[in-house]
Structures are given as C-alpha cells and as structure tokens.
C-alpha cells in the first residue's frame, strides 16, 4: 500500500473516529443487552431524535456561516410555554387564561414559529448590521428570552393540555409517531433550502469567505438575518414538539440543548469554521448522540456519568473538526 493511500485511510479513521466508535459501541450493546435491536427501541430512539434533529437543522445554518446560536435552548422553552398557555383545557384548574378557549393546534404552531422568528431576526440584525459576534448576540438574546419567558409565565410550570396537543406525541401515522414525521418533513424542507435555493448557495458562500461573498454580490446582511430567523422558527417548532411529548412545559425546558445540537452538527460534518455541512451531517450527529445515550443506558452507566461521556464526545468532535481545518490550510 502506497503512502498516499495509507494516509487517506488514516485520515478517514481519525476524522470519523467518533462515528466509528459509536457504531462499535452500539454493536457491542446489541450483542450484550436484551431488547436493544428491536423495532420498539428503534422507534423510541427516533422519536427522541425528532425534536433534537429539528433543533440541529436550525443551528446548522448558523454554524455553516461560522456562527452559533446560544439562544436555542431558551427559545425552545419559550416556544413550548407559548404553545402551552394557548392549548390548555377549559376545565384545568391552573389554566393560564381561564376564559380563553383552546386554539387550533395548527394556528398555535404558526404563532409560536412567528414569535420565535421575530426574536431570531432581531439577533440576525445585530449580527449582520452592527457586526456583533454571533456568540455575544445570541448570548444576549438567550438572557432576554429567559427573562421574557419568566415574566410571561411567572416561572410557573404549565400543564393540562387538550388531547389534540398531546396526540401530536402519542399519535401515529403508518405506525410511526407524528413527531418523527414532523422531523422528516423539516429535514426535507431544509435539504431543499440548502441545496436548491439561492439562499442555500449564499449561506455556504458566507461561511467560506464573507468578504468575497459580498464582493460577488451576495446579500450577506439579509441572508444572515434570514438564517437566524429560520433557526429560531425551528426552535419554536421543537419547543411545540417537546411540550406535546412531555405533556407540560416550563422555563427550564430546552436548557443546554443548543450545546448538544452544535456538537451533533460538528460530529456529523458541519464545520465550526464555516462553509461546510449538509442536512445529512445533522442527521448523523443527532443519531450519534441519541444512540450513545441509549447504549450507555442499556450498559447500566450511571445517568450522571453519561454527561461526562457526552462532554468527552464534544471535546473530541470539535478537536477533530479543527484538525481538518488546519490540515486544509
């Protein structure tokens, strides 16, 4: 074997080390633990992946432009609380708006996504027009959204949802949860945007070199606003989905989800240095995280220790991504 081919194989094994180790762990868990390789466990894992995939697809656009979005977790909780107060039963003793009839769930989804999208566009405006670094802009929005949500709900947990809302999580079509179908639809729409629209091409151009993109006529500022607006709308949708799954919501819902989503994107191949990443990258990354969690649970690892394992995976994933960037330079 010549040196070039050997180096290619070595680079492939190193760059995809996390994914390879995950598959080995899953295979080992399947051999040693009962009921791991079952359709029920697979569907349950896919259902847990659904909302997280929607979040990762939203954050992927930000990361492709060499940005990030630290407000995602709080935006998820905000979206879930908005949906919650609009979809409580009339006979629920802790109803937020006692005299208001529950709204149509499709209208509620639209309201949640529009409200979250407005806040996302504000973040995008500060990043695009005032050159505020994405880390700082989204950190500020994270605190603003938390404060608004705590004032809005008075930090009170919500519950007592109408069955039409909880059925979003419990209902099935062709034997598959509605949550999974929502994630598939969002992934398909995102793939179309990334690959078949000018917006997608602009996004990759900005991630590769924003100055060159602007010189080439790319509307950099408007594209950035749309990216953060679109991402926030996805966080709102994910909050709606998680609220239905949990049967309740609070300001704490979604806490820390943004970090896991960024790490999932990176594991799958979305580069934190910008310009690279696909929808499949987010799917692979989210799958790695969910399968890792499930495998560790089946192997009997302490629930608190699982956070350490996830942290190690994040460290390795980011390090490998930076390694690829340095190698290209």
């Amino acid at each position: 074997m010549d040196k070039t081919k050997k180096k290619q194989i070595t680079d492939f094994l190193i760059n995809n080390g996390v994914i390879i180790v995950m598959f080995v762990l899953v295979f080992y868990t399947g051999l040693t633990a009962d009921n791991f390789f079952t359709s029920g466990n697979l569907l349950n894992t896919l259902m847990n992946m659904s909302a997280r995939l929607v979040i990762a697809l939203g954050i992927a656009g930000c990361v492709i432009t060499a940005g990030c979005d630290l407000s995602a977790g709080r935006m998820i909780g905000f979206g879930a609380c908005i949906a919650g107060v609009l979809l409580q039963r009339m006979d629920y003793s802790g109803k937020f708006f006692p005299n208001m009839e529950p709204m149509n769930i499709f209208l509620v989804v639209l309201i949640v996504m529009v409200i979250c999208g407005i806040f996302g566009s504000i973040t995008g405006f500060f990043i695009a027009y005032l050159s505020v670094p994405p880390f700082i802009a989204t950190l500020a929005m994270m605190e603003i959204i938390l404060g608004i949500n705590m004032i809005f709900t008075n930090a009170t947990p919500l519950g007592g949802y109408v069955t039409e809302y909880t059925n979003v999580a419990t209902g099935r079509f062709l034997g598959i949860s509605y949550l999974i179908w929502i994630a598939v639809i969002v992934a398909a729409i995102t793939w179309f945007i990334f690959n078949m629209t000018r917006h997608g091409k602009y996004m990759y151009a900005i991630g590769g070199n924003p100055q060159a993109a602007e010189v080439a006529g790319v509307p950099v500022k408007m594209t950035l606003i749309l990216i953060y607006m679109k991402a926030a709308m996805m966080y709102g949708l994910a909050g709606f989905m998680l609220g239905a799954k949990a049967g309740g919501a609070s300001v704490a819902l979604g806490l820390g989800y943004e970090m896991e989503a960024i790490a999932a994107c990176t594991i799958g191949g979305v580069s934190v240095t910008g310009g690279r990443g696909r929808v499949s990258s987010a799917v692979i990354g989210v799958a790695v995280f969910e399968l890792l969690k499930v495998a560790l649970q089946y192997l009997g690892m302490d629930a608190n220790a699982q956070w350490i394992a996830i942290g190690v995976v994040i460290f390795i994933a980011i390090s490998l991504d930076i390694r690829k960037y340095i190698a290209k330079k």
Side-chain angles (χ1 to χ4, degrees):
M1 184 183 295
D2 59 63
K3 286 185 179 179
T4 305
K5 194 156 189 178
K6 191 173 182 180
K7 186 177 184 305
Q8 288 175 344
I9 293 172
T10 304
D11 286 344
F12 175 82
L13 292 174
I14 293 173
N15 293 336
N16 297 281
V18 175
I19 297 173
I20 293 168
V21 170
M22 183 275 295
F23 276 115
V24 172
L25 177 64
V26 167
F27 187 69
Y28 171 77
T29 306
L31 292 177
T32 57
D34 294 332
N35 302 320
F36 185 76
F37 287 135
T38 62
S39 59
N41 187 42
L42 174 62
L43 287 173
N44 189 52
T45 302
L46 289 173
M47 192 164 77
N48 290 334
M49 278 178 58
S50 58
R52 293 181 184 271
L53 177 58
V54 172
I55 299 163
L57 290 169
I59 240 167
C62 306
V63 178
I64 287 170
T65 58
C68 66
D69 195 341
L70 301 183
S71 68
R74 294 306 187 183
M75 203 78 76
I76 292 161
F78 188 40
C81 287
I82 294 171
V85 300
L86 298 176
L87 290 169
Q88 289 178 310
R89 300 191 310 270
M90 289 299 292
D91 61 351
Y92 181 59
S93 59
K95 187 170 171 61
F96 196 84
F97 296 123
N99 299 318
M100 189 185 78
E101 291 280 347
M103 297 178 70
N104 179 278
I105 59 168
F106 296 105
L107 179 59
V108 170
V109 171
L110 184 61
I111 290 171
V112 167
M113 292 178 71
V114 167
I115 292 174
C116 289
I118 290 169
F119 284 102
S121 64
I122 293 169
T123 303
F125 174 83
F126 277 91
I127 293 168
Y129 283 93
L130 301 180
S131 299
V132 178
F135 176 85
I136 301 299
T138 57
L139 179 64
M141 186 55 74
M142 176 182 78
E143 299 296 344
I144 291 168
I145 289 296
L146 174 60
I148 291 173
N149 203 15
M150 291 187 76
I151 293 170
F152 172 55
T153 64
N154 199 27
T156 304
L158 301 169
Y161 296 158
V162 295
T163 54
E164 288 85 358
Y165 185 26
T166 54
N167 280 347
V168 172
T170 59
R172 293 174 181 270
F173 176 67
L174 299 178
I176 298 173
S177 169
Y178 290 147
L179 293 178
I180 299 173
W181 284 113
I182 292 171
V184 169
I185 292 168
V186 171
I189 293 170
T190 305
W191 179 90
F192 181 83
I193 293 171
F194 279 18
N195 296 280
M196 307 299 288
T197 66
R198 284 186 181 180
H199 175 77
K201 292 179 175 65
Y202 293 162
M203 180 180 69
Y204 286 105
I206 293 169
N209 189 324
Q211 290 77 26
E214 194 154 23
V215 170
V218 172
V220 173
K221 292 180 173 59
M222 184 52 65
T223 301
L224 284 171
I225 291 173
L226 289 174
I227 286 169
Y228 283 88
M229 181 186 75
K230 173 167 57 70
M233 292 176 75
M234 290 192 186
Y235 309 149
L237 175 59
F240 176 88
M241 295 165 69
L242 287 168
K245 187 170 181 287
S250 72
V251 294
L253 183 67
L255 178 62
Y257 280 30
E258 68 281 352
M259 297 301 182
E260 194 173 308
I262 292 169
C265 288
T266 307
I267 289 171
V270 180
S271 177
V272 293
T273 56
R276 296 199 319 273
R278 294 173 293 186
V279 168
S280 59
S281 304
V283 175
I284 291 168
V286 172
V288 166
F289 264 108
E290 288 305 316
L291 288 171
L292 173 66
K293 290 176 192 173
V294 174
L296 293 177
Q297 287 170 5
Y298 269 83
L299 292 174
M301 177 179 276
D302 181 87
N304 296 320
Q306 290 177 26
W307 290 105
I308 299 173
I310 291 170
V312 170
V313 170
I314 293 172
F315 258 129
I316 295 170
I318 300 297
S319 300
L320 292 176
D321 182 64
I322 297 298
R323 176 187 178 275
K324 285 187 279 188
Y325 174 72
I326 293 171
K328 281 198 168 188
K329 288 185 75 177

